[in-house]
Amino acid sequence: MANTEKSFKKHYLPASAADYVPRHFLESVQLQRLQDVVQHAYHNQAGGLYRQRMDEAKVRPDAIRSLNDIQQFPFMTKDDLRASYPYGLFAVPQQEVVRIHASSGTTGKPIVAGYTQADLDVWADSMARCMGAASLSSHDVIQVSYGYGLFTGGLGAHCGAEKIGAMVVPTSAGNTERQIMLMQDLGVTAICCTPSYFLHLAEKAGEMGVQLKNLKIRAGIFGAEPWSEAMRERIQNETWIKAHDIYGLTEIIGPGVAIECAEQNGLHILEDYYYPEIIDPETLQPLPDGEEGELVITTLAKRAMPMIRYRTRDITSIMADQCYCGRTIRRIRRIGRRSDDMLIIRGVNVYPSQIEAALLKIDGLLPHYQIVITRESGLDNMEIKVELAPELFGDRIQELESLQKRIAHAVNTTLNISAKITFAEPKSIARSEGKAKRVIDKRG
Ligand code: ADP
Ligand code: ZN
């Protein structure tokens, strides 16, 4: 057969060799790239923030002799990005920047990220490797239902899917009924979106009389927001797809920083591009493998906006033991929470993901919920609005009361705090097309 583009693409290896290199080789590549990125940031970044910070910390850009030397360097935070809005952190002339993205701004004013063509290649390669880890290849038809635009999800997944030679269906988010029609008609085999949007899509499909189980779809690449193991089980049992957790952030590149392989036990971080450290968020001291703390990432191959020791605020730990899949790049544990999404309710630290896990232990509850916090005469109150499945909604008062008690008990035993449980009618809690908004904090 002629070596047409398509027949060539069919031979694309879904997994990249970079995921399997011996550790000592990987580490020598990391070291060279680290030396390079630190020099690049020091000398070329227009706003001079890196130079200023390194000078203040009395650390020279040639201080990197071993990987651990990175620990002498100062951190970068989201505030630094905001302060240098929009272009202050760029380290290449503006004419070399070919694309801009911005964070969704869920946590404040957006931050802007710039990419050179080479950066976009690194990103597409990252997403392609992630898709390979999720067993996708040129045989797949991949629907990208992350939003396209300034948000990194849509275009990030799109370019990775093209790179593996898959057929891409770029639906973006929204217009859910049409998404389901296309999914059926085009024989979609995999979908990329937020887990909350996928739930919405599955629910809508049910209303339309479409069983996702009976379609060709077999994999989901879900990320951009935290979701629990209980949520994964629900999704997999109800739709018969394999649900992979993918992680990424605009400041570092977008989606494609880390993903679960078939083992679904921790996310392989593409360490040759994104160098991970875990620190204690209070003392800022490095923590050993296995210990939970804040993930700090240094980009090893990004030119337009290099990030050195970026504090992600995401809480995880590094799993250093070798994965059964054979990849030598290490894994990070699933990210259930950010250090800044912690709610303090009557002095108790509460993470929305803990509430989700408690709710989903109970049969008959839909994974649609909202947490409303108020303060009355100085006292915090937490209300959890939980949507009921339609078949439960008609139940007698006594049955609902007993369900309410069971939920309150589950929340209380998980979080050690009491909450008022209210039921919402089926479909009454707003469905998200992107990141779900779970918490409404009215305490001001
Ligand atoms: P914003 O901060 O405006 O939401 P991003 O769209 O770049 O900007 O979101 C990145 C953040 O989303 C991450 O720092 C992390 O908190 C969260 N996130 C992304 N993927 C996941 C995931 N798989 N699990 C948990 N949280 C995630
Ligand atoms: Zn693995």
Side-chain angles (χ1 to χ4, degrees):
M1 194 165 92
N3 194 9
T4 61
E5 201 185 349
K6 195 66 192 173
S7 72
F8 172 71
K9 278 200 291 191
K10 285 234 161 73
H11 295 109
Y12 183 91
L13 279 175
S16 160
D19 296 348
Y20 298 92
V21 292
R23 290 292 311 176
H24 65 88
F25 182 71
L26 173 67
E27 283 166 14
S28 75
V29 170
Q30 286 177 315
L31 181 58
Q32 282 171 25
R33 289 185 176 169
L34 193 56
Q35 288 166 335
D36 188 50
V37 74
V38 168
Q39 293 280 358
H40 174 58
Y42 186 87
H43 294 290
N44 301 329
Q45 191 232 332
L49 186 64
Y50 280 116
R51 178 190 293 259
Q52 185 197 324
R53 289 279 167 83
M54 288 184 211
D55 289 350
E56 278 166 11
K58 299 201 169 35
V59 54
R60 296 277 312 151
D62 57 11
I64 305 250
R65 300 279 149 72
S66 73
L67 289 173
N68 281 343
D69 289 329
I70 189 66
Q71 293 171 3
Q72 306 165 37
F73 284 76
F75 296 104
M76 291 298 276
T77 65
K78 207 172 189 118
D79 286 339
D80 293 323
L81 280 143
R82 289 209 185 99
S84 36
Y85 178 86
Y87 300 142
L89 285 182
F90 286 13
V92 297
Q94 203 175 308
Q95 72 264 28
E96 286 181 31
V97 176
V98 298
R99 186 159 348 129
I100 290 292
H101 280 283
S103 85
S104 53
T106 38
T107 53
K109 194 176 173 185
I111 56 100
V112 170
Y115 305 76
T116 63
Q117 185 56 55
D119 294 341
L120 290 182
D121 293 344
V122 165
W123 189 14
D125 191 56
S126 303
M127 271 310 292
R129 283 164 63 183
C130 285
M131 288 178 170
S135 308
L136 304 187
S137 72
S138 54
H139 297 274
D140 281 287
V141 180
I142 304 180
Q143 182 161 344
V144 179
S145 309
Y146 283 117
Y148 280 62
L150 284 173
F151 176 53
T152 50
L155 282 161
H158 183 104
C159 295
E162 277 185 354
K163 177 138 191 192
I164 63 170
M167 192 166 98
V168 189
V169 185
T171 51
S172 192
N175 204 341
T176 309
E177 289 185 11
R178 191 182 59 172
Q179 301 238 11
I180 293 158
M181 180 190 81
L182 290 172
M183 186 180 274
Q184 287 176 286
D185 295 352
L186 303 180
V188 166
T189 58
I191 187 166
C192 306
C193 58
T194 58
S196 55
Y197 185 60
F198 185 72
L199 284 173
H200 174 45
L201 199 134
E203 179 184 62
K204 193 76 177 190
E207 283 167 34
M208 292 163 67
V210 177
Q211 288 294 317
L212 295 190
K213 279 180 191 171
N214 300 334
L215 303 188
K216 285 192 176 161
I217 182 159
R218 61 178 180 83
I221 299 200
F222 301 135
E225 63 185 5
W227 50 306
S228 59
E229 201 54 44
M231 180 84 98
R232 190 215 307 272
E233 272 168 37
R234 285 278 174 104
I235 290 177
Q236 295 195 150
N237 292 341
E238 281 170 26
T239 64
W240 292 3
I241 68 164
K242 188 146 183 162
H244 293 263
D245 190 5
I246 188 167
Y247 169 76
L249 61 168
T250 315
E251 296 87 329
I252 295 304
I253 202 143
V257 172
I259 190 161
E260 287 175 337
C261 65
E263 298 293 325
Q264 294 174 310
N265 177 21
L267 290 77
H268 287 281
I269 179 157
L270 308 192
E271 289 183 85
D272 49 323
Y273 288 152
Y274 316 107
Y275 183 77
E277 295 172 80
I278 302 288
I279 61 162
D280 178 326
E282 303 294 329
T283 65
L284 307 185
Q285 290 308 304
L287 291 174
D289 286 350
E291 266 183 50
E292 193 182 76
E294 179 178 341
L295 177 64
V296 168
I297 301 178
T298 299
T299 59
L300 296 181
K302 215 170 65 158
R303 304 304 291 177
M305 205 174 86
M307 277 293 145
I308 295 173
R309 301 197 90 196
Y310 181 70
R311 292 186 58 185
T312 65
R313 301 278 170 188
D314 295 318
I315 304 293
T316 181
S317 60
I318 292 182
M319 304 164 69
D321 53 321
Q322 166 107 42
C323 181
Y324 291 121
C325 76
R327 282 180 178 73
T328 49
I329 51 173
R330 291 176 299 172
R331 290 164 293 162
I332 52 172
R333 239 172 249 295
R334 274 186 103 177
I335 290 160
R337 59 194 177 92
R338 292 174 56 84
S339 60
D340 53 11
D341 77 356
M342 185 177 82
L343 300 161
I344 303 183
I345 299 168
R346 274 172 261 151
V348 179
N349 299 350
V350 174
Y351 290 95
S353 54
Q354 295 175 299
I355 297 179
E356 175 177 303
L359 295 179
L360 291 186
K361 281 187 198 144
I362 295 168
D363 284 340
L365 290 188
L366 298 174
H368 303 292
Y369 62 92
Q370 215 158 39
I371 302 157
V372 185
I373 323 257
T374 50
R375 180 171 287 158
E376 274 168 52
S377 355
L379 197 66
D380 298 333
N381 294 311
M382 176 165 71
E383 177 188 348
I384 306 176
K385 287 189 188 173
V386 201
E387 218 178 90
L388 283 182
E391 57 277 16
L392 286 186
F393 197 68
D395 274 5
R396 288 205 319 267
I397 301 280
Q398 289 99 313
E399 277 149 30
L400 289 181
E401 275 174 356
S402 115
L403 182 62
Q404 218 163 14
K405 280 199 191 116
R406 271 161 49 216
I407 301 172
H409 180 72
V411 170
N412 207 320
T413 48
T414 318
L415 300 170
N416 211 0
I417 187 172
S418 63
K420 181 178 167 200
I421 310 295
T422 53
F423 292 128
E425 280 181 45
K427 316 263 179 320
S428 64
I429 291 180
R431 303 295 191 252
S432 87
E433 290 179 354
K435 299 183 189 231
K437 184 159 172 50
R438 305 274 191 212
V439 181
I440 302 175
D441 196 337
K442 295 183 174 167
R443 287 177 295 185

